[in-house]
């Protein structure tokens, strides 16, 4: 269940901090932790390239959800598995968004772009065998039209956390909890 729900590496890392660890076979847990760490190391440089390209093309963005939580809260970011990286962008600077992702080798996994039902774009790129980098680029905090005005991009960028060791703006903890 820990593997299924994405907490195996986190549990393993906490087990390692128990001073008098009982004799337990931790090999399965260690393997999950190792695999997630390897995946994290593959995705990190490519993720940084995306963030740098968005910045270079003057596309304002704030990182949401799992990536932000892994960087803000977790001692070791790889212990928070990611299926995708969610960002919200400043729609006033988004005209070159598709071109930026295409130039970096990303494609649209759907093959089509919904215009009326959701306010987001999806991009995917194969990084290595069995490892994909997926981005969900949101134009608003939610697809629910009645709620979109409650937390805007301006609200998020104004309160975003800038880590000294990390380039992108990360959603702040209060907005992350609400979101």
């Amino acid at each position: 269940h820990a593997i299924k729900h994405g907490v195996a590496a986190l549990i393993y890392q906490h087990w390692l901090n128990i001073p008098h660890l009982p004799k337990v076979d931790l090999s399965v847990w260690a393997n999950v932790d190792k695999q997630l760490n390897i995946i994290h190391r593959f995705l990190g440089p490519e993720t940084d390239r995306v963030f740098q390209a968005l910045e270079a093309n003057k596309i304002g963005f704030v990182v949401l959800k799992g990536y932000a939580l892994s960087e803000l809260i977790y001692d070791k970011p790889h212990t928070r598995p990611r299926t995708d990286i969610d960002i919200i962008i400043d729609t006033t600077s988004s005209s070159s968004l598709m071109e930026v992702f295409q130039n970096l080798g990303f494609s649209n996994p759907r093959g089509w772009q919904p215009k009326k039902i959701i306010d987001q774009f999806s991009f995917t790129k194969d990084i290595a065998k069995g490892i994909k980098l997926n981005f969900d680029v949101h134009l608003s905090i939610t697809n629910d039209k009645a709620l979109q005005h409650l937390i805007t991009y301006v609200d998020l960028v104004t309160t975003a956390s800038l880590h000294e060791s990390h380039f992108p703006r990360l959603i702040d903890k209060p907005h992350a909890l609400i979101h």
Side-chain angles (χ1 to χ4, degrees):
H1 287 291
I3 294 169
K4 178 182 175 184
H5 295 288
V7 295
L10 186 62
I11 291 171
Y12 173 72
Q13 288 295 326
H14 283 284
W15 255 335
L16 295 177
N17 293 324
I18 297 173
H20 302 291
L21 188 63
K23 292 188 181 193
V24 177
D25 180 11
L26 298 177
S27 60
V28 171
W29 302 86
N31 283 336
V32 170
D33 182 70
K34 183 179 178 180
Q35 288 172 359
L36 289 175
N37 196 9
I38 290 168
I39 291 168
H40 180 78
R41 291 176 185 269
F42 268 98
L43 296 179
E46 194 64 36
T47 301
D48 291 343
R49 276 192 274 285
V50 171
F51 293 153
Q52 291 165 0
L54 292 171
E55 186 77 13
N57 284 277
K58 298 185 179 8
I59 299 173
F61 67 99
V62 175
V63 183
L64 308 170
K65 299 183 181 181
Y67 183 96
L69 290 173
S70 72
E71 298 294 332
L72 287 171
I73 296 173
Y74 289 72
D75 291 335
K76 297 185 177 186
H78 80 272
T79 61
R80 171 51 165 90
R82 303 174 195 151
T83 55
D84 61 13
I85 297 174
D86 291 89
I87 63 174
I88 186 169
I89 63 165
D90 180 1
T91 56
T92 62
S93 63
S94 65
S95 59
S96 61
L97 179 73
M98 297 286 214
E99 185 179 339
V100 167
F101 275 93
Q102 288 171 348
N103 287 344
L104 292 170
F106 285 82
S107 62
N108 180 338
R110 290 188 206 99
W112 59 280
Q113 186 58 48
K115 296 190 188 312
K116 300 292 182 192
I117 55 172
I118 62 173
D119 291 317
Q120 75 183 49
F121 298 95
S122 295
F123 300 97
T124 190
K125 179 178 181 179
D126 289 324
I127 304 301
K129 184 177 179 184
I131 301 175
K132 290 182 179 288
L133 179 56
N134 299 303
F135 269 86
D136 281 339
V137 180
H138 300 263
L139 303 177
S140 57
I141 195 72
T142 178
N143 290 320
D144 187 327
K145 305 289 185 200
L147 299 176
Q148 289 178 347
H149 70 282
L150 295 177
I151 300 175
T152 66
Y153 169 79
V154 172
D155 296 330
L156 295 173
V157 78
T158 303
T159 62
S161 299
L162 274 173
H163 269 292
E164 295 168 11
S165 62
H166 294 88
F167 164 68
R169 288 177 182 82
L170 307 173
I171 188 172
D172 67 325
K173 289 180 187 178
H175 281 117
L177 290 172
I178 292 168
H179 185 227

